[in-house]
Amino acid sequence: QVQLVESGGGLVQAGASLRLSCAASGRTFYSGGMGWFRQAPGTGREFVAAISWSGDITYYGDSVKGRFTISGDNAKNTVYLQMNSLTPEDTAVYYCAVGGQLRANTYYLRSNYNYWGQGTQVTVSS
């Protein structure tokens, strides 16, 4: 089994930056993808970013392209989400996830991911 723990969320002003971390444990080897999703109050869970285990493929949701960067450190079993130029629209609970290999037609789907963290709150004030 895989356990995921997110950290790094908090309360910041618009224009600020945050770096979220997701530490994975319970597995020795991985051959899938890791992703970030977010959910704001009253909305569904939105795809944010994903990265292949090898790090050679990344995807981003349209709303965060150019502002967010996903990266990973296999030695630490950790994936990161660097968030820059934050706006109030970025306010949400952010979840990391682990799933199967990334595919062009499934990387953005919740159903592609088998394990989820508990989430970390990001709040951006005006």
Side-chain angles (χ1 to χ4, degrees), residues 34-62:
M34 299 187 70
W36 288 94
F37 288 74
R38 66 186 184 185
Q39 187 163 12
T43 70
R45 194 164 295 188
E46 175 190 19
F47 171 76
V48 175
I51 187 169
S52 62
W53 188 245
S54 63
D56 60 338
I57 302 173
T58 58
Y59 296 98
Y60 295 94
D62 290 341

Side-chain angles (χ1 to χ4, degrees), residues 2 4 27 29-37 50-53 96-103 106-107 109-116:
V2 175
L4 304 174
R27 294 275 300 275
F29 305 105
Y30 298 96
S31 185
M34 299 187 70
W36 288 94
F37 288 74
I51 187 169
S52 62
W53 188 245
C96 68
V98 173
Q101 289 185 308
L102 299 182
R103 306 293 186 186
T106 61
Y107 69 86
L109 299 175
R110 292 178 60 187
S111 60
N112 187 240
Y113 299 89
N114 302 315
Y115 302 95
W116 295 81

Side-chain angles (χ1 to χ4, degrees), residues 7-9 18-22 36 79-81 83 94 120 122:
S7 62
L18 283 173
R19 189 178 77 158
L20 306 183
S21 298
C22 177
W36 288 94
V79 64
Y80 304 96
L81 184 68
M83 306 186 296
Y94 284 70
T120 185
V122 172

